[in-house]
Amino acid sequence: MNKIKTPWGSISTEVSLLPIYYLIFIYGFVYILPYGKILIGVSWFDWLRSEDGPLEWLQFFEYALSSLISFLIYFKIKNKRSINSIIWLIIGSSCFFIAGEEISWGERIFGYSIESLAELSIQGETNLHNLPFFHNYLLDPVLQIICLFLGWVGWRKWPNLTSLPSKKFSLFFLIISLYFFYYEVSWFSTVQHIRNDQEIFELLLPSGLFLHCWEFFKNLFRN
């Protein structure tokens, strides 16, 4: 049970508040941090959320590490046919795939691309998630469904499945679902569409997965 001390008393919570602290830091400090345009040509906030920027590379490393840890957990578990083992294998494979997609399967590092695929991609890079149909119609809904499952359905319906993130990490996933829902709905609102801060919020997903994987990894190899 985490306790937040305030001038009005203490607030108890069973979830990690790191996502809240992260967003407060980004929007309360980085957002108004001066001299960005003088030193790097853009504001520090825009630099962080830019395509191929620091947050996107951080996502890549977190997905890659989560994949590695998940595979190590899978090989450590004796019963390879258990549901938990299968889920760890799915997490490891999914994180490996997403990590590859984040850097366009090495194109951003080595400059190599598959031209036939890059020509179809919205960003002109070798990846699948930016193909027009998937990017325009499926990407955001799929992301919301995954985050709702990881942040709510999983631990509520199957609390005994230790391979799924526990309630402790629920805010990492639920905040993303809330943001993308609000982002999509704002297209149909009577006011101007909200700003695209997707990279800011997307970091929460790999962060939640990495912390979940790391916590289980430590406990597994400690026993």
Side-chain angles (χ1 to χ4, degrees):
M1 186 76 70
N2 298 316
K3 284 191 176 181
I4 311 170
K5 294 183 178 179
T6 73
W8 302 275
S10 297
I11 302 174
S12 298
T13 175
E14 296 181 19
V15 300
S16 172
L17 297 176
L18 283 177
I20 304 297
Y21 299 145
Y22 159 73
L23 292 175
I24 290 175
F25 174 75
I26 293 292
Y27 288 99
F29 177 70
V30 177
Y31 191 79
I32 60 174
L33 194 63
Y35 306 120
K37 290 186 177 181
I38 296 175
L39 297 174
I40 59 175
V42 295
S43 69
W44 298 106
F45 179 79
D46 287 335
W47 176 63
L48 279 178
R49 70 190 182 112
S50 63
E51 187 68 31
D52 205 24
L55 292 186
E56 192 164 20
W57 277 99
L58 184 55
Q59 290 181 55
F60 161 72
F61 286 115
E62 287 185 327
Y63 279 124
L65 288 172
S66 297
S67 175
L68 175 61
I69 294 172
S70 297
F71 286 135
L72 289 175
I73 293 172
Y74 172 76
F75 288 116
K76 176 70 173 178
I77 296 176
K78 294 181 179 180
N79 186 2
K80 297 295 186 293
R81 296 185 178 181
S82 67
I83 296 179
N84 276 316
S85 294
I86 294 172
I87 292 176
W88 280 118
L89 188 60
I90 293 173
I91 292 175
S93 302
S94 300
C95 286
F96 176 81
F97 175 79
I98 298 173
E101 286 284 297
E102 286 292 334
I103 59 172
S104 297
W105 298 100
E107 180 180 348
R108 296 184 179 182
I109 300 174
F110 306 108
Y112 172 80
S113 66
I114 302 175
E115 292 186 5
S116 59
L117 187 60
E119 289 175 357
L120 297 174
S121 173
I122 291 176
Q123 291 183 338
E125 297 180 338
T126 305
N127 54 49
L128 298 176
H129 73 279
N130 281 318
L131 293 177
F133 180 78
F134 186 79
H135 182 273
N136 294 334
Y137 300 104
L138 296 178
L139 185 59
D140 289 355
V142 168
L143 179 63
Q144 291 178 62
I145 291 172
I146 290 174
C147 287
L148 281 173
F149 178 82
L150 294 176
W152 179 259
V153 178
W155 62 264
R156 288 280 295 181
K157 190 169 182 60
W158 300 286
N160 294 326
L161 288 179
T162 55
S163 51
L164 295 176
S166 64
K167 184 199 305 185
K168 176 181 177 180
F169 301 113
S170 58
L171 289 185
F172 284 92
F173 311 108
L174 294 179
I175 288 176
I176 300 176
S177 290
L178 179 61
Y179 169 78
F180 275 89
F181 172 78
Y182 189 75
Y183 181 81
E184 295 299 327
V185 168
S186 70
W187 281 103
F188 308 100
S189 68
T190 57
V191 297
Q192 185 177 1
H193 184 249
I194 66 172
R195 186 181 58 207
N196 186 348
D197 287 352
Q198 292 184 12
E199 293 295 340
I200 300 291
F201 287 85
E202 283 180 359
L203 179 66
L204 293 174
L205 175 55
S207 298
L209 284 173
F210 171 72
L211 291 174
H212 162 61
C213 294
W214 177 245
E215 183 174 271
F216 189 91
F217 178 82
K218 289 191 301 181
N219 293 332
L220 180 65
F221 281 82
R222 185 180 301 163
N223 297 330

